[in-house]
Every structure is written in structure tokens, then in C-alpha cells.
Amino acid sequence: MCGIVGYIGKQPCVDLLIGGLRRLEYRGYDSAGVAIMDGGTTRILRSQGKLNNLTKLVAQEKPVGTLGIGHTRWATHGRPSEQNAHPHKYGSAAVVHNGIIENHAQLRSQLQSAGHKFSSETDTEIVAHLIDDEIKAGKGAEAAVRATLAKLEGAYAICVLIDGVSDTMIAARHDAPLIVGVGDGENYVASDVPAILNLTRDMIFLEEGEIATVTTEQIAISDLAGNPIDRPPQRILWDAMMAEKGGHKHFMLKEIHEQPRAVTDTIRDRLSPSKADAYIDGFEADPANVRKLFLVACGTSWHAALVGKFLIESLAKIPVEVDLGSEFRYRDPLVTDSDLFVAISQSGETADTLAALREAKRKGARVLSVVNVVGSTISRESDGTVYTHAGPEIGVASTKAFTTQLSALILLAIHLGRRSGALDEARAGELITDLLQIPEQMKSVLDHEATINVIARRYATARDFLYLGRGINYPIALEGALKLKEISYIHAEGYPAGEMKHGPIALIDEQMPVIVLAPRGSGYEKIISNLSEVRAREGKVIAIASRGDASIGDLVDDLIQIPDVRPELQPLLTVLPLQLLAYRIADIRGTDVDQPRNLAKSVTVE
Ligand code: M6R
């Protein structure tokens, strides 16, 4: 979850490193640092807190050099402090690291017994000590890193500079993402694509257990045993501008408004209205051979999986189990080689989802993934990937990734339904026609931001919120509550509306705003009863309802209307006001919307 960037070339590198770290800051932002090679020795500059602190330090200190590495941290071992910030230097070796070295305590005590003194509480520092020992024992830079990696257990992406080796940086990965960018007379290392997309579009994705030895002219990749690996770069078509704020106050707001475009890009070219069918590029599933589907994900992506269960069971009539990545492999799941495992992940790097995928593969399941980041580990380890074409999502709170995941799951449900015979041509045709209208309908919801702003002002000081939904909109209640929690720090709970009477109803009084998802469809009457139960206890009801529902306005305190669409498509619209509401409330409360406290965009630790 930390961010790594590295540069080797002819340009002064400090501003390039800071620029890369700025784009990686969403991965962690409790401290940051750089190591710049200056006259054969690395100079380390680090500061606690956000990147601006490091920027000020760098402006003061003016480090010079054309080879450097940088890091933005999300603390795992050792509290956020300057001392624990990366790069860590010991002797000749300066190291930045993302991941967790699981055997760090044992290695640390071995090193301490040999007389090593540590200056931080991190697991990373031991890597610098081990490399320096190997250098002192006479190994060259690459050999020293290779020998060190052989001693490490756990997950790492590292980038290393060695004093006296002014023409090389060494990068390596195991269970944490790392890419090498290919330039002209200069090369780069980064945790992800957007960090260096302004510098190059040609990227080499390192695989597990690979080392890249990078000079200005060469990128030599090898495995841990030293066998050379030939891997051509991939051209990334994302536009660097897509990773900028585009005039919006926050990335999150920009990304909310990008959803009509993102959904269009995700469904376009994958639907055939004339054949009433949907296509999954490079993956043909035969439902006759699929006993069960497992949809596995974390956080917001897990909410998409819950919607996916409704869609696939209703349209394809195949049983679906939904699991959290962090739970799946610890319960010895009954997966067989007749099952299809679907991993859903924006980043494609979430450690828990990846571990679940590996467990399913080990048990023989076929693996499909729904992923946004091209070339990410989850996509590379899958038998097929439905890319969500959301473009880079920078705001920590996921928005456009979610609606594009929903879109991809609708495609999958249609694809499976047409092949299982459960979805006839007429119904599939109607669904596809309606799905193609969704981007315009999304725009019409987003155009009513002003109504949501008024509601946000009214409830911004509330202490708690309850979100209620039924059926396919129950996961949207969970998602609405998660959005509010993570960016405004208000306690919020999502609940299936029918469960309210089994406990949460005790919380309701005149202080409690309750958001009720009440679009037309099956379960509508029941949800009206639920919101009446809230009103009877003085709770404040904010309803998301279908346009044209003439009666609901009298039953609620605040009303947000959305176009009247079939239930399968409702989540694509009902979630939008909830994203905007969370955003506005957080903005009013003055929180750091794009980088909320304690969170990171890509959770690459278990
Ligand atoms: O990259 P992923 O989709 O695998 O990430 C999963 C969660 O970490 C992520 O959805 C998280 O819950 C977001 N902060 C939600 O807004």
C-alpha cells in the first residue's frame, strides 16, 4: 500500500520523483522520502506527514542527481514518523519497500546479534542491513540484492540504490506490484501506471520473484536464480490527463462525474443488440460445465459482488456464492474444478482477493477477473479478465470503479444467461436496450447535484446514519454507508430494510437520518412499510425513489428522484446520489476527501 517511484537518466530527478509520489500519494500518505545519488553516495531526505512536507524539505535542501528513488508510506510496522519513513539506509544500501517482511523479527535479532544497530521500527530496515552485509562480503549490487531476497519471507516490492554504483537501480517484486517504465535514455520504476504515465506509456510489469536491473539504456530482468527473462513492454493507452483533476475540487468528484463515460466504455463493443448477447473478451464460459460461481472481493468491490449474485442467479440461474477476500481461504471453501471463481478488484492488487484467487486456482477452479488496472497481478493470474475501462481511479473512495464493475457483472450475467438458456432472446434484448440508455440516465441523476447539496447541508452534523435497502438495492445501502464512513468519518450502517425491526430500530430517534432506497419494483410496498416504521419513531427519512412515484413524497422528509428503470439496472442509478451525498457531507465537514485518514487506495497487505 505504499508507493514507490524510481528514476535513472540524464535529467535532475528530484522533481520527477516528487511528481510520481504525488500521483502515488493515494497509496499511503503518512510520511514520504527520497534518496538521490549525489557524487556516488545517496542523500536521504524524509519527512513525516503528507508529501507537501517533503516538498518543502526538498526545496530547502535542493538535492542534485539524475538517479533517485522515492517512497510514500502507509504504516504497517512502526508508527508514522520521520524515523520510520523510507528510504532506509544502512551502510551503502538505500531501500524503499512496499509490503510486509514476515520474518523481519527473526532477521532483525540475527543482525543485532552480529552487532547491527537499527534506527527505525520498520521491517524494511533489515533489507538495507542485509544488502550492505552482502556488499561488504564482496558481492556486486545485483548479486547482493539477489542474495538478500533469498532470505526474505512475505511480500515486497523494493527499489534499491547502492553507494558507489551510480549507474544502476535495482527493483524486485514478490506479492506486491512493481512496474518498470521504458524511456529514451532514461528509465523509471513505479508501483503503478499512473505514477509515470506522464513520462512513458511503455511499461514492463514485473512478475513474482523477478529482479530488474535498470540503467539509463538497459532494463535487464531475471528471476531469483539469475536466469534472464525477456519481456517486451506493454503500451498503456490511458491518457495522462485522465489522472488529473480536470477542474474539480477533488478527484472523487471528478470520478463521480466520469461515470456515464466509464460505463459507456465498459459496455460498448461488448454488447450485440441484434443478437441479444454480451461478450467477454477472450473468455467463453460454458454454463453446462459450471456447477457454481464464486464472486470474491473486498470493500466496495465486494458490494459489487453482492449485486452480481442477484444478477447472475436471476438472469443465468446459476448458483452464486459471494465471499470476502479476507475470509475465503480461511474457511476451507468447497471449491471444485467445475466452479468458476470471479475475482473483482479495481486495483487488481488487493492482497486478500489475490490470495483467495490463488486458493481457488489451487483447488482447480477456472478464474475470471473483473479488474480496472491493466496488467495488474490479479488480471495476470486469471484465465480471463473483463477490464472495466473506468480509467485511473485516484480518490481513495471508489466510485466509477464500482459502477463499471456493476456494468461488467451485468455483461457476465447476460453472457451466462444466454448460454445457460435461462435468458431468452426477447428478455436479453430488452435488457440490453435499457442498459444502453443507462449512461444518459446517470447524467440526468448527476445533473441534480443541487438537490443533494441541500440535503447534505441539512444532515452534515449528524452523528450516525442508517442506510436501508432491499433485494438488489441492499448492497447499495452497504455501499452508501461505506462511502459516508470512509470520507466523512460519520458512523453509518447499511442494513437490509427487513432486518431493521430485528435490532437497528432501537437506534432510531429524531437525531437519526435514515436513507431508504425505494425505487419501484418488487419489494416496494415492503420498503414503504419500513420507512413508515422509521417515521413513526421520529427518524428523518431521505428516500431515493423512482421519478413518477407520486405518493412517496408525502411519506418522507427529503426525496431524491431517479429514472424509473428495471430492477437489474437500478443499482447503477441508486448509488449515484449516495456517492454525491457522502462527498458533499465530507466536503462540508472539511475532511481530506481524496486521502481520508488511515486508508489507502490499494491494500496490498493481508
Ligand atoms: O482495488 P480493490 O477493488 O480490490 O479494492 C478493494 C477495497 O479496498 C476498496 O474497494 C475499498 O473498500 C475502497 N476504499 C472503497 O471505497
Side-chain angles (χ1 to χ4, degrees), residues 298-301 344-348 350 353 396-398 405 482-483 486 601 603:
C298 299
T300 287
S301 301
I344 306 171
S345 173
Q346 185 287 128
S347 60
T350 299
T353 308
V396 164
S398 193
Q405 287 166 346
L482 177 65
K483 285 288 89 81
E486 62 182 341
K601 182 73 183 162
V603 186

Side-chain angles (χ1 to χ4, degrees), residues 68-272:
I69 54 179
H71 187 268
T72 178
R73 179 169 188 250
W74 185 83
T76 55
H77 291 71
R79 76 211 134 81
S81 67
E82 189 195 324
Q83 231 176 9
N84 290 332
H86 301 210
H88 289 284
K89 185 166 182 182
Y90 185 82
S92 59
V95 178
V96 290
H97 165 227
N98 169 26
I100 293 176
I101 308 297
E102 283 166 6
N103 58 340
H104 73 100
Q106 181 200 341
L107 291 169
R108 181 185 273 251
S109 70
Q110 284 168 8
L111 287 160
Q112 279 167 332
S113 314
H116 284 246
K117 297 264 178 296
F118 283 80
S119 55
S120 79
E121 303 154 324
T122 65
D123 52 339
T124 305
E125 195 187 338
I126 55 133
V127 182
H129 287 245
L130 291 169
I131 294 174
D132 185 59
D133 270 3
E134 298 291 352
I135 296 279
K136 286 196 177 115
K139 290 205 171 78
E142 188 184 311
V145 173
R146 202 182 298 288
T148 297
L149 296 181
K151 296 178 186 151
L152 305 183
E153 286 166 21
Y156 56 77
I158 59 165
C159 197
V160 181
L161 298 184
I162 312 267
D163 285 356
V165 186
S166 301
D167 60 353
T168 308
M169 66 180 163
I170 299 169
R173 77 160 272 175
H174 178 70
D175 278 348
L178 204 61
I179 55 176
V180 183
V182 184
D184 185 9
E186 56 186 23
N187 290 308
Y188 327 92
V189 168
S191 293
D192 71 14
V193 168
I196 50 173
L197 199 53
N198 60 325
L199 302 170
T200 182
R201 290 182 173 216
D202 296 321
M203 316 271 182
I204 299 172
F205 294 88
L206 292 186
E207 302 275 0
E208 302 309 348
E210 288 183 353
I211 300 179
T213 302
V214 185
T215 66
T216 49
E217 300 297 339
Q218 255 201 338
I219 299 165
I221 301 177
S222 53
D223 63 18
L224 280 183
N227 302 307
I229 290 163
D230 186 20
R231 174 152 332 109
Q234 277 185 43
R235 181 139 273 237
I236 302 296
L237 298 176
W238 286 357
D239 180 344
M241 277 307 287
M242 288 168 90
E244 303 294 333
K245 278 189 208 156
H248 289 281
K249 185 172 176 190
H250 294 104
F251 279 112
M252 182 182 178
L253 188 59
K254 172 190 172 238
E255 288 159 4
I256 288 173
H257 283 282
E258 278 177 345
Q259 292 178 100
R261 192 274 311 150
V263 167
T264 304
D265 288 354
T266 303
I267 59 177
R268 192 178 51 199
D269 305 335
R270 287 171 169 161
L271 286 171
S272 167

